[in-house]
Amino acid sequence: MKNIEIEEDLYHFIASKTQHIGESASDILRRLVMPDSLPAKIEQVAVQEKTQSSLNMQSSLLAELANLKLLEMPKMVDRFLAMLALLHQYHAGSFAAVLALSGRNRTYFAITKEALLATGSSTNPKQVPHSDYWVITNNNTVKKVTLVKEVAQLLGYSEVQIEQLIALFCPEPA
């Protein structure tokens, strides 16, 4: 493999043409400069299939959430846990990203109840159903809505899909 030096503006141009995380500069240039090359076409098909699969999964999750009838659950914490459980079910492989969510003085998700109790006196940790994850639940509705949005963003949902999730969770402005 050869190395070349390029100017900053060209580097930013190449980086702006990235189609998926982990795509190398060589892959990007090959796709842009040699569009008929076999590896580039295979890569494009793989990216398209992955994108379609992701969209199908997210649509399926939205349909399943609608069937859960979250709004019929009287307690916001039950809605919150049901939403997180379903997000975990559909994204078990990438759900660990939620462990990075934290505030100034609090951790919002952890693998153990004790880890959350150590971050504050009134966290009221509850286990996300059917998962190894725990979440603090002693937040107001606005914070729960914000956490659902942040989790959905981490899992790759579009803004439109996130708004659909929130409408199924808490349609009134919190």
Side-chain angles (χ1 to χ4, degrees):
M1 182 163 307
K2 302 280 184 181
N3 292 325
I4 59 172
E5 289 188 32
I6 58 173
E7 295 173 356
E8 191 79 16
D9 59 335
L10 183 56
Y11 172 80
H12 289 294
F13 171 78
I14 294 168
S16 74
K17 299 301 179 183
T18 301
Q19 289 185 343
H20 62 86
I21 295 172
E23 186 176 27
S24 71
S26 290
D27 292 338
I28 297 167
L29 286 172
R30 184 179 317 280
R31 183 171 30 80
L32 294 173
V33 179
M34 301 167 50
D36 294 331
S37 71
L38 186 58
K41 284 190 176 195
I42 291 170
E43 179 81 16
Q44 286 175 337
V45 168
V47 168
Q48 288 169 350
E49 286 175 356
K50 184 178 179 183
T51 301
Q52 187 59 47
S53 174
S54 179
L55 290 173
N56 290 343
M57 181 174 59
Q58 291 167 350
S59 294
S60 178
L61 176 126
L62 287 168
E64 196 165 337
L65 277 171
N67 289 336
L68 273 180
K69 300 181 182 175
L70 293 175
L71 298 179
E72 292 179 12
M73 296 179 183
K75 292 184 179 179
M76 182 57 72
V77 70
D78 292 336
R79 291 184 202 176
F80 181 59
L81 291 171
M83 172 76 76
L84 292 174
L86 205 52
L87 286 166
H88 173 267
Q89 177 185 331
Y90 274 79
H91 302 281
S94 55
F95 198 80
V98 303
L99 296 173
L101 294 175
S102 63
R104 284 191 315 256
N105 301 318
R106 278 195 170 168
T107 300
Y108 298 124
F109 291 88
I111 297 297
T112 65
K113 179 179 184 177
E114 292 73 25
L116 292 177
L117 289 171
T119 67
S121 59
S122 60
T123 57
N124 196 20
K126 298 218 183 286
Q127 190 167 17
V128 175
H130 313 294
S131 81
D132 294 330
Y133 297 91
W134 288 76
V135 62
I136 63 169
T137 61
N138 192 23
N139 293 317
N140 61 25
T141 299
V142 172
K143 187 60 182 174
K144 285 179 176 76
V145 168
T146 300
L147 282 172
V148 167
K149 285 180 180 180
E150 289 176 359
V151 169
Q153 286 170 338
L154 282 173
L155 297 175
Y157 287 79
S158 70
E159 290 303 316
V160 170
Q161 291 169 322
I162 291 170
E163 292 308 315
Q164 291 172 330
L165 285 173
I166 298 306
L168 294 168
F169 173 63
C170 180
E172 314 85 38

